[in-house]
Amino acid sequence: MNEGIVKKITNILLRPFKENFLFLIVLCTLTICGHALGCFTLKHEMNLNAAIVTAMHCVCISYIFTLFIGLIRQKAVKKTLQTIFILIAAIDFAITFYCSFYLHSVFDEDIALLILETDPSEAKEFFTSMVPMWVIAAVAGVFLFFILIWQIIKRLNLRLNLGKKASLVAMGIITICIIVNLCKWGIWKYGPIGPFYEFTQHENPSDLRSYFSHPKLTFDDKEELPTNVVLIIGESFGRSHSSIYGYNKLTNPQLAQLKDNSLLFSFDSINSPAHSTVQSLRYTLSTFDRSNEKGKKWYEFISIMELMNECGFDSYWFGNQGRVGKHNGTTRIYAQACDHQWFLKDDNTVDQYDIVLVDSSYQFIKQICHKNHNFIIYHMKGSHFDYSVRYPKEFAQFSENDYPTDPKNHRKILSSYDNSILYNDYIVNKIIDSFKDSEAIIIYLSDHGQVMYRNSKDPDYYAHGREEDPDDYALGIDIPFFIYATPLFQQKHPQTMQRIKYRQDHPKAWNSDNLPYFIMDLIGVQEINGESVQSKSILN
Ligand SMILES: [Zn+2]
């Protein structure tokens, strides 16, 4: 090779050290602090070795970006790009720091969905209730440190670039990092590219109905289709805080009364398929499950809306969660696959209490509930954090004084959470009341639970279960599952009722990702495209 070209390439390769060394150091520090140090906080697989390899990967990525900056000769363009890259690295650092040190998780699809499918009011609540002061202080501290160093360097007019010999040594170190990186290729998931990859994986269809595949359903001839099948999707309701399941505070007085009157049945040992809303709904409302995750997209599976449609039901969605504007979040996609949908948040960006679900539907339900076949879904705001804004004043029945044996810093959260569950009890009972004179079966389940300070390894944590820690995760997917059957339904479907009562008395571990099979079983469908429905139903 021509000696001139070799010299030119060497010059370009050494430019990050000779011209833009400070930029390289800033990028390296931000990425290593966020990603490599975070490895120590992850509970499984990640250890010192992983941290070192991740750090080397961060060095490689930082070097590549600095190399690119070195190729730009126009000063203004170069400065602008440098600022943009540092800003992105700073945001990446803040998010990764939060995920690693507070959630003990890598930035995964769930967190990307949480960011992408959130709305302004949810985001505000998230920051006020889910980002602790110490995280904000730590991130701000790192930023201040960088600003301070930058100012000192500027004031003293220091030149931090390396000389020729030092640059060659640095290049040697970079080469080692690149070789290690190539040998441990999979590590990129834990580095700065990971979060950006997760964002690009977010893909939702504009219309779920165009994916309807018209599955072949086999019916049980003896069973007559019920008039109303109602599904109430709750939010963040952990089973351990329901008095029906033995909680020591009376959080479910109204539902307990229905249970005493043999109108409501509660099932034990039920788990949700995920610890977050979006993921859970993808599994719960379609035949998509964790075992067939690879290959097909979630929206290519048969949805409960399509199944009910095929069975001759008209479907309705009343949602107190949903997107304002045109954003195609998972919730909206499901809602729009129904024949009719009402987004109760659309007219008002301020969160409304769940009573809006009852107020807006009561008269309508009274008109339709005696004719045809209706499938009605209510999507509640339930006990979504911030718990304290989920219920009106008169439902603030529990106060900090009711938790004398709990640590002081837990009491406020515990009382507001229990108040939100109490309000949930009132709303679910109100919805049930709309149907009580008709032939209806009403299913209530929560999308997932909450940890609520029960993880002994992290006793101050209360929110969503964290996937990196199996105990924490198990606490976060432990949900209540109720079935209410009106007297008319009970009279018309004695066999189904027998099976429901048997299951209540003989609990069986079941995951709500099989909800479509359970609903099909309830209404007398035996097979979906030749696949047995009963084998996945909780009643079997
Ligand atoms: Zn949720």
Side-chain angles (χ1 to χ4, degrees):
M1 211 193 295
N2 189 317
E3 213 178 290
I5 296 175
V6 175
K7 216 175 169 185
K8 236 182 185 173
I9 292 173
T10 313
N11 262 336
I12 290 172
L13 291 176
L14 295 183
R15 228 177 255 167
F17 317 113
K18 288 168 133 181
E19 292 180 14
N20 303 303
F21 193 56
L22 181 61
F23 177 74
L24 176 64
I25 292 293
V26 173
L27 275 196
C28 278
T29 317
L30 282 173
T31 51
I32 290 173
C33 281
H35 295 276
L37 287 185
C39 290
F40 292 115
T41 68
L42 304 175
K43 299 272 185 330
H44 71 110
E45 289 174 28
M46 305 304 281
N47 48 34
L48 182 62
N49 276 348
I52 292 170
V53 178
T54 308
M56 288 176 142
H57 170 69
C58 291
V59 170
C60 293
I61 295 289
S62 305
Y63 173 75
I64 291 167
F65 275 94
T66 317
L67 193 64
F68 172 70
I69 287 289
L71 294 174
I72 299 162
R73 301 325 272 169
Q74 294 98 326
K75 259 195 168 172
V77 180
K78 187 173 166 176
K79 252 201 160 153
T80 312
L81 275 179
Q82 274 181 325
T83 314
I84 291 171
F85 285 157
I86 286 182
L87 271 176
I88 292 173
I91 293 167
D92 171 62
F93 163 74
I95 295 174
T96 316
F97 184 89
Y98 174 74
C99 292
S100 307
F101 289 89
Y102 186 63
L103 300 179
H104 301 300
S105 159
V106 287
F107 188 103
D108 58 9
E109 196 189 356
D110 282 344
I111 294 165
L113 287 173
L114 196 77
I115 293 173
L116 287 165
E117 295 206 3
T118 200
D119 62 26
S121 72
E122 265 180 23
K124 194 178 147 224
E125 277 175 27
F126 179 81
F127 274 103
T128 49
S129 60
M130 282 295 293
V131 185
M133 263 324 280
W134 67 264
V135 170
I136 298 172
V139 171
V142 172
F143 290 165
L144 277 175
F145 173 76
F146 274 115
I147 294 168
L148 196 74
I149 297 283
W150 192 266
Q151 287 301 325
I152 292 172
I153 291 168
K154 244 176 130 183
R155 285 267 169 97
L156 300 179
N157 207 9
L158 292 176
R159 291 193 62 81
L160 285 180
N161 292 325
L162 301 183
K164 200 177 175 187
K165 267 190 192 165
S167 293
L168 284 171
V169 174
M171 192 63 230
I173 294 170
I174 297 284
T175 311
I176 294 169
C177 289
I178 290 172
I179 292 167
V180 172
N181 206 173
L182 289 175
C183 296
K184 299 257 181 194
W185 187 240
I187 204 73
W188 67 267
K189 267 192 191 164
Y190 300 99
I193 298 171
F196 293 98
Y197 171 77
E198 294 297 351
F199 278 124
T200 61
Q201 290 307 290
H202 183 68
E203 189 191 338
N204 275 340
S206 56
D207 173 21
L208 196 61
R209 281 180 171 250
S210 59
Y211 288 88
F212 279 11
S213 58
H214 306 290
K216 188 175 178 297
L217 304 179
T218 319
F219 288 87
D220 174 357
D221 298 334
K222 284 166 270 158
E223 197 72 35
E224 205 185 306
L225 285 179
T227 314
N228 300 293
V229 174
V230 183
L231 174 63
I232 307 174
I233 306 167
E235 172 63 66
S236 301
F237 183 176
R239 190 181 64 93
S240 66
H241 279 251
S242 164
S243 52
I244 287 185
Y245 288 94
Y247 185 48
N248 61 10
K249 298 206 163 37
L250 191 58
T251 48
N252 281 136
Q254 313 236 24
L255 299 184
Q257 205 172 354
L258 294 174
K259 193 179 173 185
D260 290 345
N261 294 334
S262 292
L263 292 166
L264 185 117
F265 308 88
S266 59
F267 292 175
D268 242 320
S269 311
I270 310 296
N271 282 334
S272 65
H275 58 139
S276 66
T277 307
V278 172
Q279 287 289 34
S280 180
L281 291 188
R282 288 181 175 183
Y283 293 117
T284 310
L285 299 182
S286 75
T287 56
F288 177 51
D289 67 43
R290 286 200 182 263
S291 60
N292 50 22
E293 215 163 348
K294 294 227 160 68
K296 272 163 86 178
K297 303 277 185 199
W298 67 271
Y299 47 81
E300 291 170 332
F301 289 83
I302 309 165
S303 68
I304 184 65
M305 291 80 193
E306 175 174 17
L307 288 169
M308 293 307 266
N309 209 324
E310 292 288 317
C311 293
F313 282 77
D314 287 330
S315 51
Y316 304 87
W317 180 287
F318 292 92
N320 194 22
Q321 287 196 48
R323 301 286 79 81
V324 178
K326 289 180 186 150
H327 188 90
N328 268 324
T330 303
T331 315
R332 180 176 285 268
I333 288 162
Y334 274 132
Q336 283 173 341
C338 291
D339 299 311
H340 312 273
Q341 57 287 127
W342 290 264
F343 280 104
L344 306 166
K345 250 178 108 175
D346 272 4
D347 305 330
N348 190 346
T349 49
V350 178
D351 273 343
Q352 303 183 66
Y353 297 130
D354 275 332
I355 191 67
V356 69
L357 287 167
V358 181
D359 291 344
S360 60
S361 65
Y362 193 82
Q363 288 305 330
F364 180 76
I365 295 297
K366 288 285 169 209
Q367 283 168 24
I368 64 161
C369 70
H370 293 290
K371 48 192 179 198
N372 306 324
H373 299 293
N374 308 303
F375 177 49
I376 302 144
I377 299 177
Y378 292 91
H379 188 203
M380 301 179 70
K381 194 75 183 176
S383 299
H384 196 291
F385 57 72
D386 175 356
Y387 315 135
S388 67
V389 298
R390 294 291 157 246
Y391 52 88
K393 276 201 302 286
E394 56 271 30
F395 282 85
Q397 287 193 19
F398 301 106
S399 70
E400 291 177 56
N401 300 335
D402 295 316
Y403 304 82
T405 55
D406 291 285
K408 261 193 174 160
N409 58 334
H410 296 182
R411 292 177 194 172
K412 200 168 170 218
I413 296 279
L414 283 170
S415 62
S416 54
Y417 186 65
D418 286 344
N419 288 329
S420 75
I421 303 281
L422 183 70
Y423 184 58
N424 190 80
D425 180 76
Y426 168 77
I427 299 297
V428 174
N429 187 53
K430 279 269 182 199
I431 294 174
I432 286 174
D433 195 58
S434 321
F435 293 91
K436 68 175 186 219
D437 301 324
S438 63
E439 182 201 352
I441 182 131
I442 301 180
I443 302 150
Y444 172 89
L445 82 168
S446 182
D447 60 347
H448 52 79
Q450 298 278 273
V451 175
M452 298 318 294
Y453 306 119
R454 289 172 298 152
N455 184 355
S456 55
K457 282 176 273 170
D458 192 359
D460 285 333
Y461 182 79
Y462 65 90
H464 291 61
R466 294 168 291 189
E467 212 150 3
E468 300 297 319
D469 177 347
D471 296 337
D472 206 85
Y473 187 72
L475 293 168
I477 58 166
D478 183 21
I479 55 164
F481 189 89
F482 309 122
I483 294 175
Y484 168 88
T486 62
L488 198 55
F489 181 94
Q490 300 208 20
Q491 190 194 325
K492 280 192 158 182
H493 304 273
Q495 275 185 332
T496 306
M497 290 316 301
Q498 221 173 14
R499 293 174 70 205
I500 291 174
K501 285 172 191 166
Y502 179 85
R503 185 52 68 224
Q504 176 176 247
D505 299 336
H506 302 84
K508 164 183 152 178
W510 188 73
N511 196 299
S512 57
D513 69 349
N514 284 326
L515 186 78
Y517 297 94
F518 164 62
I519 295 178
M520 288 296 102
D521 187 19
L522 264 187
I523 65 172
V525 171
Q526 289 185 321
E527 285 180 353
I528 306 171
N529 286 337
E531 186 189 14
S532 158
V533 159
Q534 283 206 0
S535 63
K536 289 187 172 178
S537 164
I538 188 174
L539 298 184
N540 196 33

